[in-house]
Amino acid sequence: MQTWPPKLSVSYPMVSGRWYDQNTSGVANVGTFPRDTGEIWFVPFTNWSLATQTYAQIAVDLDNNATGADVSAHVGIYRDSNGVPTTKLTDGLLTLPNGASGTPQAAINQPLQTGLYWLAITVSDTVTLGGWDAGSAAQGFGLLGDSNAAATASNIPKFWGWTGAFVFGPLPEDAGTLTLSPDSADIPRIVLRVL
């Protein structure tokens, strides 16, 4: 899996059939953390390809912790406007059986131009989402900046996104309809596969 986006001014191809994510450090230091229903999470994703790139699948790493129930997750892609997610581009539905762990995938057909986008997820029940550990010094530098000016290199949150209150269902057409709050804690690992 490719986890090191080059600078947007440098032309490196994305490879057909491979998965890409929001991690910028080149290491896969993955942790897990519990998340409950009632929220939507927005994760930054940089499409660095200088040509328009089409993505064929979206997936997320999760464990189903629901009691005797399947878990569904809506995952999608939103446009960016000045560092905030706005208009929805795509919405996929994933299902993970009771007690299962894995990386369920949804088929999409989404072309993206060069730039920043937001990957989104909301779940139907309690799950553990695989994610990036914000406290690990090995994970390099933050993608969009840090909310704590006094932080040292060893405790800067490495990733930054948005959360908002949400009732499970299809992702909203416009993230601006939600009350969003900055979230510099651990965030879910959502991945896209190039067509």
Side-chain angles (χ1 to χ4, degrees):
M1 175 163 313
Q2 170 65 270
T3 58
W4 177 71
K7 295 180 180 179
L8 297 181
S9 60
V10 180
S11 181
Y12 286 95
M14 289 182 165
V15 180
S16 178
R18 293 194 182 176
W19 294 88
Y20 296 83
D21 61 28
Q22 71 275 14
N23 186 10
T24 63
S25 64
V27 296
N29 183 6
V30 182
T32 57
F33 50 95
R35 293 291 196 179
D36 297 324
T37 56
E39 287 185 307
I40 183 172
W41 305 285
F42 293 96
V43 177
F45 174 80
T46 302
N47 181 58
W48 75 76
S49 175
L50 296 185
T52 297
Q53 189 67 67
T54 300
Y55 294 91
Q57 287 179 293
I58 186 170
V60 65
D61 177 19
L62 60 82
D63 298 334
N64 183 348
N65 299 333
T67 304
D70 293 347
V71 165
S72 297
H74 279 280
V75 288
I77 304 171
Y78 284 77
R79 290 190 189 282
D80 171 76
S81 177
N82 296 317
V84 179
T86 56
T87 308
K88 182 176 73 175
L89 298 173
T90 190
D91 188 349
L93 181 63
L94 311 174
T95 301
L96 194 67
N98 174 41
S101 299
T103 52
Q105 303 162 15
I108 59 174
N109 184 2
Q110 184 59 57
L112 298 178
Q113 296 177 338
T114 306
L116 176 67
Y117 295 86
W118 294 90
L119 308 183
I121 183 170
T122 185
V123 294
S124 64
D125 211 321
T126 301
V127 298
T128 297
L129 290 167
W132 299 108
D133 179 3
S136 172
Q139 294 212 4
F141 299 99
L143 179 61
L144 294 178
D146 177 47
S147 59
N148 179 8
T152 65
S154 63
N155 64 16
I156 290 174
K158 302 305 183 292
F159 301 101
W160 183 87
W162 294 93
T163 58
F166 187 64
V167 177
F168 180 76
L171 294 172
E173 293 300 316
D174 187 342
T177 62
L178 303 173
T179 300
L180 298 178
S181 301
D183 186 350
S184 58
D186 295 338
I187 59 176
R189 186 183 191 198
I190 308 173
V191 293
L192 297 176
R193 187 178 69 82
V194 173
L195 181 65

